[in-house]
Amino acid sequence: MTSHQALPTIESTISATTSATPSVANEATAAVKWTIAASSFAFVVVQLDVTIVNVALPQIGADLGAQVSALQWVVDAYTLGFAVFLLSAGALGDKFGSKRLFLAGFLLFALTSLACGLAPTAGFLNIARALQGIGAALLVPSSLAILNRACAHDKKLLAKAIGLWTAAGGVSIAAGPVIGGLLLAVAGWRSIFLVNLPICALGFLLTWRVVPAVAASTHARSFDPFGQLLAIIALTGLVGAVIEFHPLGLQHPLVIAGFGIALVAGAAFIMVERKVPHPMLPLNFFHQTSFTAAVLFGVLVNFSYYGVIFVISFYLQKVQNYSVLQAGLAFLPLTGTFIFSNLVSGWLIGKAGIRLPMVLGGLIGAAGYGLLGSIGIAEHASFMHMLPGFILIPAGMGLAVPAMTTSILSGVEKSRAGTASAVLNTARQVGGAVGVAVFGALVSDGVAGDMSSGVRIALATATVLLLMAAGLGYLVKPKAVAS
């Protein structure tokens, strides 16, 4: 069997809908599996770099002579580059083709990972990390657009594919600290960036082989340069201000300037997008109740989850006196449950549609936050008191997130899938950054008792926000994936 026969393309997947021949159906199934694998490589490498770096910061600081403020930007520069360029990446993918942008993302991510691994100074490393975040931004919306096109003939299959894609990211998040610790012990901090190179190479080659090129969208002929520029300026101001809000304070001139730039550029962006014939972000997306509800759902989920994880990490180490390793291991039930519920979500969407997993997931997540705040953070509480919350929170999120993503992709035409998924992921990134800043302020520099009180306030807030998310889930069309 030739390599072409071994790795059938998506065209054979589509042809399966018009042929009853078993061999063709088998090739179609194989094509979708290989496409899911190629797309998942992207999410794996993007999510891996969210967590693997944290464990290496002390060693990086010692080797490069970096202060704490510079080390913070090793993490934040990646977040900034990722969040700021997501929206532009989605529009560019729709214009030039998702495969081209996906391959470019792998190439940029690999080159910048190499630059990070060879960085001579902290400043050089932070610049490389920002560019690495841009590479991640090129990968995520285009990977979802590729999945959407591969499974366009079967919306139930799309839901299952997104569940697997999300679960792959969950695996890499869980594995990040473990892999990072092993690499640090064996090969030093530079290896945590160099490990991305073989992953990117495999993802690039698999994508090149199994994903067909698709003609550029007729809706994206105009580049909309002013829209692109204003979106980047607005998001840079917003995300930068949110990142610096916690260390500098709300009244610092840089934070005020960041929010001011975001407000002015954001308003100008909306005005431009209303007038140009081919906007990078079609505002009519938000005329659809399901689309708007799903985006807001994503904001609330990320705000709550990333904010809570941030403050719980401090609580475990400062109040419960966990070591860094013990704190990392404490989160394993949370991550493991998330992976399992992602896979269940795809099955449930196929049976009951999108609305039920989103509503049920929001309610289960709210129950988890409520239990964690009332039982897990109580005086003399042990890890076993926290465990029910650590199980219910990811169980709810894992059910809801694939349904939310499927709702976004199935609610727009295929040619705009990259832009639609970029809107969702940009909103989620901003929501997560704001959650960390707001909830982080509740535990900042607090003694043990004050910190516990701040964590309980954060968890009570998260409970309310997830109940609101469940209400938003009810607004989504329930049968959006019916075959």
Side-chain angles (χ1 to χ4, degrees), residues 98 173 324 342:
S98 53
I173 286 178
V324 175
N342 279 159

Side-chain angles (χ1 to χ4, degrees), residues 16 19 144 202 221 251 264 285-286 356 377 439 456 470 483:
S19 174
L144 284 170
L202 286 171
R221 299 291 183 194
Q251 296 181 338
V264 173
F285 279 0
F286 296 97
L356 179 61
I377 310 300
F439 285 0
R456 280 192 286 269
S483 58

Side-chain angles (χ1 to χ4, degrees), residues 237 240-246 248-260:
V242 167
I243 289 172
E244 292 297 338
F245 160 73
H246 183 235
L248 297 181
L250 186 60
Q251 296 181 338
H252 193 279
L254 286 177
V255 176
I256 295 173
F259 284 125

Side-chain angles (χ1 to χ4, degrees), residues 148 151-160 406 409-410 480-482:
N148 189 51
C151 304
H153 62 290
D154 187 340
K155 297 302 182 184
K156 292 182 180 181
L157 179 60
L158 175 62
K160 293 177 182 178
T406 304
L409 292 178
S410 62
V481 297

Side-chain angles (χ1 to χ4, degrees), residues 107-379:
L107 185 59
L108 179 59
F109 202 95
L111 291 175
T112 51
S113 294
L114 179 61
C116 289
L118 300 177
T121 65
F124 185 98
L125 176 60
N126 288 337
I127 292 172
R129 282 285 285 171
L131 294 173
Q132 192 183 36
I134 296 174
L138 298 180
L139 286 169
V140 171
S142 54
S143 68
L144 284 170
I146 287 170
L147 277 184
N148 189 51
R149 186 169 294 277
C151 304
H153 62 290
D154 187 340
K155 297 302 182 184
K156 292 182 180 181
L157 179 60
L158 175 62
K160 293 177 182 178
I162 289 173
L164 290 169
W165 180 86
T166 309
V171 170
S172 64
I173 286 178
V178 179
I179 295 174
L182 292 174
L183 289 173
L184 286 171
V186 174
W189 68 266
R190 297 181 187 277
S191 63
I192 67 168
F193 298 111
L194 300 179
V195 73
N196 294 331
L197 299 181
I199 300 175
C200 288
L202 286 171
F204 186 96
L205 292 173
L206 192 56
T207 302
W208 182 274
R209 185 67 193 88
V210 304
V211 178
V214 178
S217 168
T218 57
H219 297 279
R221 299 291 183 194
S222 174
F223 186 67
D224 187 14
F226 292 113
Q228 298 275 351
L229 180 61
L230 288 169
I232 291 171
I233 292 173
L235 288 168
T236 300
L238 176 60
V239 177
V242 167
I243 289 172
E244 292 297 338
F245 160 73
H246 183 235
L248 297 181
L250 186 60
Q251 296 181 338
H252 193 279
L254 286 177
V255 176
I256 295 173
F259 284 125
I261 289 170
L263 182 62
V264 173
F269 171 75
I270 293 174
M271 291 177 61
V272 168
E273 297 306 277
R274 282 179 174 172
K275 294 181 178 180
V276 296
H278 300 291
M280 64 170 290
L281 174 58
L283 297 180
N284 60 8
F285 279 0
F286 296 97
H287 297 166
Q288 305 172 42
T289 301
S290 288
F291 185 93
T292 303
V295 170
L296 291 175
F297 188 101
V299 171
L300 295 180
V301 165
N302 273 41
F303 182 105
S304 303
Y305 183 74
Y306 284 102
V308 164
I309 293 302
F310 182 81
V311 298
I312 290 295
S313 297
F314 272 89
Y315 170 80
L316 291 176
Q317 295 178 60
K318 300 293 186 181
V319 179
Q320 295 288 356
N321 296 315
Y322 281 30
S323 68
V324 175
L325 178 59
Q326 287 174 322
L329 292 174
F331 287 123
L332 283 180
L334 192 147
T335 306
T337 306
F338 187 46
I339 295 167
F340 174 76
S341 58
N342 279 159
L343 300 178
V344 172
S345 178
W347 171 85
L348 184 59
I349 294 169
K351 295 291 183 180
I354 290 173
R355 179 184 290 171
L356 179 61
M358 289 183 69
V359 173
L360 187 61
L363 293 175
I364 292 174
Y369 287 125
L371 276 176
L372 189 58
S374 60
I375 299 175
I377 310 300
E379 189 176 0

